[in-house]
Amino acid sequence: MMQADVTLDTLGYFCPMPIILTSKKIKELAIGQVLEVVSDDEGIKKDMPAWCDTTGHQMVGMEEERATSGLIYKAFVKKTK
C-alpha cells in the first residue's frame, strides 16, 4: 500500500471533475509531496497518467480496491514542480 501526504476524495465525481479537483489541490502541496486521489470513476485509470504527462507531475502508483459500492481507484501523484 502506498503512502500519501494528502488525500483528495473525488468519490461521486466523474470526468473531468477528478482531474480538475486534482489540479487545484496539487497547487497546495510542497514539491515532493504525494497526493492520493480517491475516485470511483474508472476513467481515472487513463486520465490521471495523461494529466501527469501533460503537467509534468509524477504518477507514482494506482491501486484498485473493492468496496460495497463497487471499485474504488486510488491514484498517487507526486508534485514535481
Side-chain angles (χ1 to χ4, degrees):
M1 180 168 262
M2 300 210 56
Q3 292 297 312
D5 298 294
V6 178
T7 299
L8 175 63
D9 180 350
T10 67
L11 294 172
Y13 291 98
F14 295 94
C15 187
M17 285 310 296
I19 299 300
I20 291 169
L21 294 170
T22 298
S23 189
K24 288 181 180 177
K25 190 69 177 178
I26 204 139
K27 291 177 179 152
E28 300 172 14
L29 274 61
I31 290 174
Q33 284 190 304
V34 175
L35 176 64
E36 173 187 23
V37 183
V38 181
S39 177
D40 51 2
D41 178 10
E42 187 176 5
I44 199 168
K45 293 195 305 188
K46 61 177 176 39
D47 294 344
M48 192 60 73
W51 180 80
C52 288
D53 287 345
T54 302
T55 61
H57 295 296
Q58 182 183 356
M59 180 85 189
V60 292
M62 177 73 72
E63 295 176 359
E64 288 184 22
E65 204 173 273
R66 187 158 300 282
T68 51
S69 59
L71 283 176
I72 303 291
Y73 305 95
K74 295 180 177 181
F76 296 86
V77 179
K78 181 185 275 188
K79 182 170 180 170
T80 57
K81 58 182 184 170

